[in-house]
Amino acid sequence: MKQIKVVHYLNQFFAQIGGEEKADIPPESKSGPVGPGMAFKGAFGDAAEIVATVACGDSYFNENPDVALAAILDMIASFEPDIVVCGPAFNAGRYGVACGAVATGVREKLNIPAITGMYVENPGVDLYKQSVHIVSTKDNAAGMRDAVALMVPLALKLARGEEIGTSAEEGYIPMGIRKNFFDKKRGSRRAVDMLLKKMAGEPYETEFPMPDFDRVVPNPAVKDISKAKIALVTSGGIVPKGNPDRIESSSASKYGKYDLEGIRDLDAQTYETAHGGYDPVYANEDADRVLPVDILREFEKEGKIGSLSRYFYSTVGNGTAVASAKKYARAIGEELVADGVDAVILTST
Amino acid sequence: MKLEVGYIPIRDIQFGPTSKVDGNVLYVNQDELSRLLLQDEAIESVALDIARPGESVRITPVKDVIEPRVKVHGGGGIFPGWCAKVDTVGSGRTNVLKGAAVVTAGKIVGFQEGIIDMSGEGARYTPFSTLNNLVLVVEPKQGLAQHAYEKTLRLAGLKAAEYLGKLAADIEAEEVHTYETLSLLEGVRAYPDLPRVGYVLMLQSQGLLHDTYVYGVDAKQIIPTLISPTELMDGAIISGNCVSACDKNTTYHHLNNPVVQDLFAEHGKTLNFVGVIITNENVFLADKMRSSDRTAELCGYLSLDGAIISQEGFGNPDTDLIMNCRKIEAKGIKTVIITDEYAGQDGASQSLADADEAADAVVTGGNANEVIHLPAMERIIGSIDAVDHIAGGWSGSLNEDGTITAELQVITGATNELGFNTLSAR
């Protein structure tokens, strides 16, 4: 196998140029490994060679981010590496931000894989964890050996274009993308082990950290419903018979827009549900049970509402990703506003 | 309550002139079993088939999987309320045909049944690919309503499992496991220094073909209650539901509940396994509030230090899961919840429909939206035409060459929320 060419990015301190008094030096490069590069060289063995080290002062980088990054990327590109290793930066904030920015720039602008390592609370983590693999390290340089042990195998895999395992398997900070893998123990055993640790007050790691939920505040009430144009929108899957848009029974990839012009009542001959999460018998018998067109037509005639909007929108809520639902809601919302709709009745199942 | 469970390993199923267990082979008289099942007048026809581990076989649309068991002594019979009277089970001796299962198949709803592949990529995700399966493909009489068809198929599966289980009554088991739950006071005296742990088992009860039964009672109608873990091993709880295949708890799962097994494994060593609290997942808010209140009260009443909470299904039941977790934690009882995720095909979306900071210890059975590719199989048991419509499939999931591209959702038992599998996600 061909030997992999590595470029290593360091700050002024780890590149042995100087301490804080040298933090304003612009980027420079040297051939071969420097400082922590020696530990990486040992771990890479014959598989890879650090051909050059690029260093920059932390203050210089953070005060001149665009100029510094452009200069660093030019230097890196000139060595034609297969992979770029940045840091690790441990809990050094400015260094972490620089490592994240350089690694991301290398990936996105040079199309070369890159990797870095940081302590989980380093501000660089939140900025760059979604764009680059950041190996989780201790908060100071005493964790160098552990960091190198995780970064080297991951760097080799990235350089070779091999499949990368999950964050739990490879030791990087979760990138916010959920990915399946087969664990060593079954789930029930993992639950028992986790509970024993939690009851004993010992540290444990949840397999799914709870997300921050966005709560939607309801709009104020409609002032005069008898003048309002009302639209119907449902996640209950009501579609014209035969499901012309083939909306999926679960994990819907689309929504449908259907014309209600001249329709007073939904019946079993013309409408049905595409939803796979509930017994469809009653919805198929009479789709008004989910999408109340019949009642709204009555209300329209009696003047209880202004009018029923011409189109209804439908998708399937069953197992559909929140991100998809948000996307459909945005698109549907724009059309409703353009159509002059005053209020929407949202029906779920 | 003390139960001995004897394992009789089954390594093959064959059709033969006499139904019997000979060595590690289960022989089945097709005509006799078919006649027994056809006593149900709602059934038009029954086709029996065998699917073995490693074979190029795809079973679909799968409804339930059931393990053949028999009550040797100790009162009551397997599947009380269905195949036996409602006498309390969970004591004495039960024999199991380990490695064999009855799989029921039929197109009830059209999108809430699943796929079991006996080899290839799909086989890695379903625990049932490792079993010797007797498959019942049951066609209903014309005009039979879906919920009646569901009940017919449910009973056919239980009857067939009971029929096979009885063949094990007089056979010497290769392995015997003993499980015992002490009374409350005895438990306190026996293990004064061990943390007290309970298991909150949430039963699917959203209704309209999403039902679970306890001693024959629809779980929608129960108030959360205590049950001995050994009662589960005798079929006190059975599945009667059609939900997405990946996180449905089949009757096989209830009989072999992994949380029960793994808590028993630690019982008397690192913890005191006090018992099982069963609760439901009804759709009305008042039911959710009442059931989660009662569940938390029972946990407090039992002076638990910790509880494991398992789920069935997703979306609406996520709210029950989080309510249970929040209310039990509020009593100072530590919880771990077991769930699965719907994080989108790209894995980038929010995984659950509800969340709370009290749920700080989560075990996941994996992302059910992740896309998998299944190879074509030489033989299909059942019918392949539902694949585009089942939950997790889409128009074009079934390719002309017989391969399938679909979400993991379609595989029976793939992201089980009792923690039956090793699959996880990060």
Side-chain angles (χ1 to χ4, degrees):
Chain A
M1 197 178 283
K2 148 175 137 27
Q3 200 180 37
I4 290 162
K5 284 163 75 177
V6 182
V7 170
H8 196 186
Y9 175 81
L10 296 171
N11 71 355
Q12 82 285 351
F13 177 73
F14 283 100
Q16 300 174 345
I17 296 165
E20 195 56 37
E21 77 285 355
K22 294 284 187 187
D24 55 0
I25 62 146
E28 58 183 68
S29 68
K30 293 178 187 172
S31 66
V34 179
M38 299 311 292
F40 279 96
K41 177 183 160 70
F44 278 128
D46 294 335
E49 185 196 358
I50 299 178
V51 293
T53 301
V54 173
C56 179
D58 283 334
S59 297
Y60 182 86
F61 189 96
N62 282 275
E63 285 159 17
N64 314 278
D66 297 338
V67 179
L69 183 60
I72 290 165
L73 292 182
D74 280 347
M75 284 181 193
I76 289 173
S78 72
F79 297 107
E80 297 179 345
D82 301 302
I83 175 90
V84 175
V85 174
C86 303
F90 306 105
N91 201 23
R94 289 173 307 166
Y95 187 22
V97 171
C99 283
V102 170
T104 303
V106 166
R107 269 199 60 183
E108 293 176 358
K109 300 220 167 74
L110 304 182
N111 287 316
I112 295 169
I115 181 180
T116 181
M118 295 178 211
Y119 178 58
V120 68
E121 290 179 17
N122 190 311
V125 170
D126 272 350
L127 288 171
Y128 296 107
K129 69 178 177 187
Q130 284 179 318
S131 47
V132 69
H133 290 95
I134 304 177
V135 165
S136 181
T137 72
K138 292 207 175 79
D139 64 356
N140 64 68
M144 184 66 80
R145 181 197 290 262
D146 292 344
V148 169
L150 288 173
M151 288 172 74
V152 161
L154 188 55
L156 291 174
K157 278 190 182 179
L158 284 165
R160 291 173 184 147
E162 291 173 7
E163 190 173 341
I164 306 300
T166 63
S167 55
E169 294 166 296
E170 305 277 6
Y172 58 89
I173 292 167
M175 300 172 85
I177 301 291
R178 303 296 288 174
K179 191 173 169 193
N180 290 341
F181 72 105
F182 290 99
D183 210 332
K184 290 186 188 70
K185 293 175 181 169
R186 66 178 179 180
S188 53
R189 184 67 232 188
R190 306 199 303 268
V192 172
D193 292 346
M194 199 183 287
L195 184 63
L196 286 170
K197 284 184 181 164
K198 188 172 170 179
M199 288 191 303
E202 292 168 11
Y204 62 90
E205 195 186 339
T206 181
E207 296 179 5
F208 175 70
M210 283 289 132
D212 296 325
F213 253 58
D214 54 342
R215 302 277 172 191
V216 179
V217 182
N219 275 332
V222 175
K223 283 207 182 75
D224 184 358
I225 195 79
S226 70
K227 301 276 189 297
K229 183 174 180 181
I230 313 279
L232 285 171
V233 179
T234 187
S235 59
I238 300 303
V239 290
K241 189 95 173 175
N243 190 7
D245 293 318
R246 299 199 176 184
I247 298 174
E248 294 84 348
S249 64
S250 176
S251 194
S253 70
K254 61 194 108 169
Y255 65 88
K257 176 185 183 180
Y258 305 107
D259 197 346
L260 287 171
E261 182 78 6
I263 292 168
R264 311 207 61 79
D265 189 10
L266 308 182
D267 59 33
Q269 280 73 49
T270 47
Y271 289 89
E272 65 180 4
T273 182
H275 198 289
Y278 63 93
D279 177 354
V281 168
Y282 302 101
N284 287 344
E285 272 177 11
D286 183 356
D288 292 299
R289 287 169 171 154
V290 177
L291 196 81
V293 171
D294 53 351
I295 297 292
L296 285 169
R297 286 293 185 216
E298 279 177 34
F299 282 11
E300 193 178 37
K301 199 173 167 190
E302 294 164 12
K304 286 185 179 168
I305 62 168
S307 63
L308 174 61
S309 185
R310 177 165 176 176
Y311 298 97
F312 80 90
Y313 297 83
S314 179
T315 188
V316 162
N318 184 35
T320 296
V322 174
S324 305
K326 275 187 177 172
K327 191 173 78 184
Y328 308 155
R330 192 172 302 280
I332 293 169
E334 280 170 11
E335 290 200 25
L336 292 171
V337 169
D339 284 349
V341 169
D342 299 301
V344 179
I345 296 177
L346 290 167
T347 62
S348 64
T349 44
Chain B
M1 208 174 253
K2 185 175 174 181
L3 182 70
E4 278 180 14
V5 183
Y7 286 4
I8 294 142
I10 296 299
R11 304 211 168 87
D12 192 14
I13 301 180
Q14 304 268 357
F15 291 124
T18 312
S19 291
K20 63 178 178 183
V21 175
D22 190 354
N24 297 120
V25 182
L26 172 60
Y27 292 91
V28 181
N29 177 325
Q30 272 177 288
D31 293 341
E32 191 175 82
L33 179 55
S34 298
R35 271 200 306 279
L36 175 76
L37 299 176
L38 285 166
Q39 286 174 5
D40 184 338
E41 290 176 353
I43 297 179
E44 175 69 34
S45 67
V46 178
L48 300 182
D49 212 328
I50 296 165
R52 302 176 182 88
E55 289 182 343
S56 181
V57 169
R58 169 164 297 144
I59 315 170
T60 190
V62 171
K63 179 181 183 278
D64 198 11
V65 184
I66 308 144
E67 187 172 55
R69 295 187 167 213
V70 66
K71 202 83 204 122
V72 180
H73 61 76
I78 294 292
F79 307 128
W82 303 102
C83 298
K85 292 186 176 175
V86 297
D87 302 81
T88 300
V89 291
S91 299
R93 171 64 181 259
T94 297
N95 274 357
V96 182
L97 293 177
K98 203 77 213 164
V102 171
V103 174
T104 54
K107 193 178 162 185
I108 299 174
V109 184
F111 33 61
Q112 287 158 341
E113 292 88 26
I115 297 173
I116 295 174
D117 278 359
M118 299 305 291
S119 60
E121 180 69 5
R124 298 172 66 213
Y125 290 99
T126 177
F128 306 118
S129 62
T130 63
L131 303 177
N132 290 285
N133 296 309
L134 181 72
V135 187
L136 316 181
V137 182
V138 175
E139 292 298 331
K141 285 259 163 69
Q142 208 177 1
L144 190 70
Q146 284 169 332
H147 47 277
Y149 183 15
E150 186 281 320
K151 186 177 181 188
T152 289
L153 195 48
R154 173 170 18 112
L155 290 175
L158 296 176
K159 270 192 232 169
E162 186 205 22
Y163 169 86
L164 298 178
K166 279 182 177 165
L167 305 174
D170 299 322
I171 296 185
E172 196 172 331
E174 271 192 25
E175 241 179 87
V176 179
H177 300 261
T178 304
Y179 304 97
E180 185 173 17
T181 303
L182 298 176
S183 75
L184 211 54
L185 204 55
E186 286 170 330
V188 173
R189 285 180 184 144
Y191 311 112
D193 302 322
L194 294 181
R196 299 171 58 74
V197 174
Y199 171 31
V200 175
L201 170 57
M202 294 171 53
L203 304 175
Q204 176 58 256
S205 63
Q206 289 179 267
L208 299 174
L209 297 176
H210 291 29
D211 295 307
T212 304
Y213 298 89
V214 183
Y215 280 99
V217 175
D218 185 340
K220 271 200 297 296
Q221 292 154 2
I222 66 164
I223 295 280
T225 189
L226 279 164
I227 191 167
S228 168
T230 53
E231 290 174 82
L232 269 60
M233 299 174 187
D234 280 346
I237 297 176
I238 61 128
S239 168
N241 71 56
C242 304
V243 290
S244 282
C246 65
D247 52 17
K248 158 203 305 227
N249 295 333
T250 66
T251 300
Y252 188 97
H253 288 113
H254 288 302
L255 291 166
N256 292 282
N257 188 303
V259 177
V260 164
Q261 286 175 358
D262 289 339
L263 284 174
F264 265 129
E266 291 299 318
H267 181 55
K269 297 174 193 162
T270 59
L271 55 82
N272 175 8
F273 179 21
V274 177
V276 180
I277 297 165
I278 51 170
T279 183
N280 49 20
E281 302 176 346
N282 290 11
V283 290
F284 288 100
L285 183 59
D287 289 341
K288 290 178 186 294
M289 292 172 75
R290 185 190 307 112
S291 288
S292 54
D293 277 353
R294 297 315 315 160
T295 298
E297 284 302 318
L298 280 170
C299 289
Y301 174 74
L302 294 172
S303 302
L304 297 183
D305 298 299
I308 291 174
I309 310 170
S310 70
Q311 189 189 2
E312 181 171 7
F314 61 94
N316 190 300
D318 291 346
T319 59
D320 300 275
L321 177 70
I322 295 298
M323 281 169 108
N324 284 326
C325 173
R326 186 164 45 80
K327 291 179 184 181
I328 295 168
E329 285 275 346
K331 291 195 176 289
I333 299 165
K334 303 277 190 270
T335 63
V336 171
I337 64 174
I338 311 177
T339 184
D340 66 351
E341 303 178 45
Y342 286 74
Q345 293 187 353
D346 61 1
S349 190
Q350 196 169 277
S351 295
L352 296 177
D354 199 3
D356 191 278
E357 57 189 14
D360 59 3
V362 183
V363 167
T364 174
N367 176 17
N369 291 136
E370 199 164 289
V371 173
I372 50 165
H373 304 277
L374 305 177
M377 292 284 151
E378 285 167 18
R379 204 156 67 85
I380 305 291
I381 302 179
S383 138
I384 199 72
D385 43 314
V387 167
D388 280 2
H389 307 290
I390 56 178
W394 56 81
S395 179
S397 269
L398 175 62
N399 302 308
E400 272 180 23
D401 60 1
T403 61
I404 292 173
T405 305
E407 292 184 4
L408 186 55
Q409 266 194 86
V410 301
I411 302 279
T412 299
T415 60
N416 180 267
E417 295 165 289
L418 303 173
F420 201 84
N421 311 325
T422 59
L423 193 68
S424 182
R426 289 291 190 284

